[in-house]
Amino acid sequence: MGIANNLLQIKSTLPEHVTLVAVSKTKPVSDLMEAYEAGQRIFGENKIQEMAEKWQQMPKDIQWHMIGHVQTNKVKFMAPFVSLIHGVDSLKLLQEINKQALKNNRIIDCLLQIYIAEEETKFGLDEEELASLLSSSEFHEMKNIRIVGLMGMATFTDNKDQIKKEFLHLKTIFNKTKEPKTENCQLETISMGMSGDYQLAIECGSTMVRIGSSIFGGRN
Ligand SMILES: *Cc1c(COP(=O)(O)O)cnc(C)c1O
């Protein structure tokens, strides 16, 4: 077994249009390097400080994805290098990302997180909040962010029908929202699916899966 084998095994099963984010949170740089040596270039982390430390230590052709809940006051620490922020769930957060991106003279790609689960602990916008964010004048004025897709997390359950229903809900919202494309809103990506449910997510339209434990092993 081992990290490289796990990674290559999973990659061989993914359709070509699906991007693999290797979720490396809590894992040491040596583990990430094993995946890197096996060809992986996209890593997902859920804590900004941990991601920044790994970014400093690792090769610069890695794309770093922030997959966790983002606190507004920490955006500045990742703005110089983050390649995609998955969990954007408010206009206020988007405004801060836009501001920090401008300071760094770049455009930062973001996904809007949609609330699809029945668990109250999960974050995200509902369909109405998504529509009102995208139609607001504040949003249209932002020139240093680009919304490139949507992200969602299904309920933590063994009930496949429930998970499927939630994934299809996200796909439906995506289809309704993807036109018209504008300068800062070009929906292409649906980020859904983790170790336990990524095959189902792909069947339901996912184009980006976030896989941690099936590659790196369990976390404490
Ligand atoms: C940890 C995490 C994952 C990966 O979970 P695994 O079950 O280990 O594959 C995916 N997405 C998010 C948002 C996470 O926090």
Side-chain angles (χ1 to χ4, degrees), residues 12-159:
S12 72
T13 69
L14 297 180
E16 221 165 295
H17 70 278
V18 175
T19 301
L20 172 62
V21 179
V23 175
S24 48
K25 61 192 184 194
T26 77
K27 298 296 177 183
V29 164
S30 56
D31 284 7
L32 278 69
M33 281 309 296
E34 273 188 63
Y36 180 88
E37 299 294 351
Q40 185 63 21
R41 292 295 180 273
I42 304 177
F43 291 88
E45 290 282 336
N46 71 341
K47 295 210 169 69
I48 292 175
Q49 187 178 340
E50 183 177 341
M51 183 170 76
E53 282 166 13
K54 288 171 173 171
W55 165 66
Q56 280 169 353
Q57 294 173 46
M58 293 185 64
K60 292 297 169 279
D61 61 344
I62 291 173
Q63 297 170 37
W64 293 98
H65 288 199
M66 174 42 58
I67 62 167
H69 189 66
V70 175
Q71 285 172 275
T72 310
N73 60 351
K74 294 198 176 145
V75 171
K76 56 178 175 286
F77 300 117
M78 66 175 164
F81 70 92
V82 69
S83 129
L84 181 63
I85 303 175
H86 288 235
V88 179
D89 63 354
S90 74
L91 186 64
K92 182 168 154 267
L93 176 57
L94 207 50
Q95 283 171 319
E96 176 64 14
I97 296 168
N98 187 63
K99 181 174 142 194
Q100 297 299 334
L102 177 61
K103 276 192 187 169
N104 286 276
N105 195 21
R106 53 187 300 241
I107 293 172
I108 296 181
D109 286 348
C110 299
L111 305 178
L112 291 173
Q113 183 166 356
I114 307 301
Y115 182 83
I116 54 171
E118 276 176 9
E119 290 166 291
E120 298 207 345
T121 51
K122 298 265 157 76
F123 295 99
L125 303 162
D126 65 27
E127 205 175 337
E128 221 172 286
E129 290 165 335
L130 171 68
S132 89
L133 189 158
L134 292 177
S135 61
S136 68
S137 55
E138 289 95 331
F139 175 68
H140 287 291
E141 283 159 18
M142 292 183 212
K143 296 197 177 355
N144 290 79
I145 52 95
R146 186 166 47 212
I147 304 300
V148 297
L150 303 179
M151 179 264 206
M153 287 176 84
T155 302
F156 188 72
T157 172
D158 287 333
N159 184 343

Side-chain angles (χ1 to χ4, degrees), residues 23 25 46 67 151 153 194-196 210-214 219:
V23 175
K25 61 192 184 194
N46 71 341
I67 62 167
M151 179 264 206
M153 287 176 84
M194 325 199 324
S195 291
R210 309 177 307 267
I211 301 181
S213 47
S214 292
R219 293 174 296 268

